[in-house]
Amino acid sequence: ISGAVKTVYIVPGAGDDFLLQYLAQAGINLITGVPALAELQSQWVATLGFDFAAALRQAWPSLLAGKGGLEFEPPLTIENINPAILTTGRQRLVEKTRAELEAGYIDTGVDPLTGEMR
């Protein structure tokens, strides 16, 4: 923490409010998949989630046509944004990076068919 880490992503279920409070008190900026805690707003970057309604809207025509067995991934959402940390310019970079990831221009090292590391 004291050497280099400035921001962390905490996966839902990987920690509790105590962990978030500890990290925030240590000056770490927080990105999580849970709603922002009011007392940690100054260190809160954003909350990541999924737009399940968008995936359902995408799947609906296929379902109505009787097609089954298809997979639809819900788009990533970014909510509870702290504009003091995740500024408009940084948000544009996040959106550009997300688009490049979705287009396959950035290799994550994960095989998209198996979900395993290469």
Side-chain angles (χ1 to χ4, degrees):
I1 288 175
S2 64
V5 175
K6 304 288 185 229
T7 304
V8 297
Y9 171 70
I10 305 294
V11 177
D16 56 10
D17 290 353
F18 177 79
L19 174 63
L20 296 175
Q21 291 167 349
Y22 171 78
L23 291 170
Q25 288 172 357
I28 302 298
N29 294 325
L30 305 168
I31 302 171
T32 73
V34 298
L37 299 174
E39 66 269 20
L40 304 179
Q41 280 297 329
S42 65
Q43 298 303 124
W44 208 272
V45 177
T47 302
L48 301 182
F50 295 100
D51 187 350
F52 294 107
L56 183 57
R57 283 190 300 275
Q58 183 184 12
W60 193 248
S62 298
L63 295 172
L64 288 176
K67 297 177 185 172
L70 302 174
E71 291 185 20
F72 296 91
E73 293 189 26
L76 181 68
T77 62
I78 304 172
E79 303 167 339
N80 301 314
I81 294 172
N82 180 343
I85 300 172
L86 190 56
T87 62
T88 303
R90 287 180 174 164
Q91 287 179 48
R92 279 195 299 268
L93 289 173
V94 167
E95 292 303 325
K96 180 182 177 193
T97 302
R98 177 170 49 178
E100 291 178 354
L101 275 167
E102 289 173 357
Y105 298 135
I106 298 174
D107 185 0
T108 63
V110 176
D111 185 318
L113 300 175
T114 65
E116 296 180 13
M117 295 294 292
R118 292 185 227 171

